[in-house]
Amino acid sequence: MKSWILAGAAIAAMCTASAAFAQDVIAQRRDGLRGMGRQMEAIKAVTDARGDTRPLVERVDAMIAFYRGLPALFPAGSGTGDTRALPTIWSDRAGFEQVNANMITQLQALRAAAASGDVAATTAAFNQTGATCGTCHRPYRGPAR
Ligand code: HEC
């Protein structure tokens, strides 16, 4: 009897620990994604002002680094809680990783445009980048709940 109680307590502790882990990773990815939103706003401020695009390379590099690590921020079991992640992330993992890979490719194009100093090319690549964010949000992000 006592060992049952102990086993039950151990399982309960493990569940609590994994739920806490899921909340941590959710908070971490949401924080990171908000940072991506801020990066995009900062890039837009420069293209709107027709400013020097070359210093934007550093921002785009930070974005590329974030998206390289993005799939790891969506481990199995992190689809419930304070999150808008849809179950399709896990049921269609290959599709999710593909749109993320496309995001990185698009950011590399934005990086090249920014590095060239060409404002029109950077603006075009920026608009395309914004559209690419949507190609993941539409199938894999749900409404706030
Ligand atoms: C590969 C998929 C994917 C890509 C690419 C992607 N996002 Fe998201 N984004 C998500 C998912 C999924 C969520 C919901 C995360 C959650 O609630 O756990 C999200 C949430 C967000 C949020 C809300 C964060 C919060 O909870 O406050 C912002 C802001 C955001 N994304 C910005 C962007 C921007 C800007 C881009 C493009 C530069 C982008 N995302 C590209 C999947 C993606």
Side-chain angles (χ1 to χ4, degrees):
M1 185 62 180
K2 209 168 199 161
S3 65
W4 278 107
I5 292 166
L6 286 174
I11 290 165
M14 275 157 60
C15 290
T16 309
S18 80
F21 168 74
Q23 282 311 316
D24 281 355
V25 81
I26 289 168
Q28 197 188 337
R29 74 191 176 214
R30 291 187 56 191
D31 208 49
L33 285 158
R34 273 194 294 276
M36 294 301 103
R38 285 193 297 271
Q39 295 283 29
M40 290 293 277
E41 281 165 26
I43 295 168
K44 186 176 189 304
V46 172
T47 54
D48 281 355
R50 310 191 69 62
D52 184 359
T53 62
R54 287 166 299 185
L56 296 178
V57 166
E58 212 174 303
R59 289 191 183 280
V60 180
D61 279 341
M63 292 179 77
I64 291 170
F66 175 79
Y67 286 103
R68 287 221 163 95
L70 179 133
L73 296 176
F74 289 87
S78 68
T80 53
D82 194 10
T83 176
R84 292 169 66 185
L86 286 176
T88 46
I89 292 174
W90 295 278
S91 63
D92 176 26
R93 188 68 182 190
F96 180 69
E97 296 202 2
Q98 184 57 56
V99 290
N100 190 56
N102 296 346
M103 183 83 245
I104 293 168
T105 303
Q106 177 53 41
L107 285 166
Q108 282 160 344
L110 175 60
R111 185 190 195 282
S116 77
D118 182 333
V119 176
T122 305
T123 304
F126 172 81
N127 290 336
Q128 194 55 46
T129 301
T132 306
C133 307
T135 65
C136 188
H137 290 161
R138 278 190 298 276
Y140 300 111
R141 184 177 72 164
R145 51 191 142 108

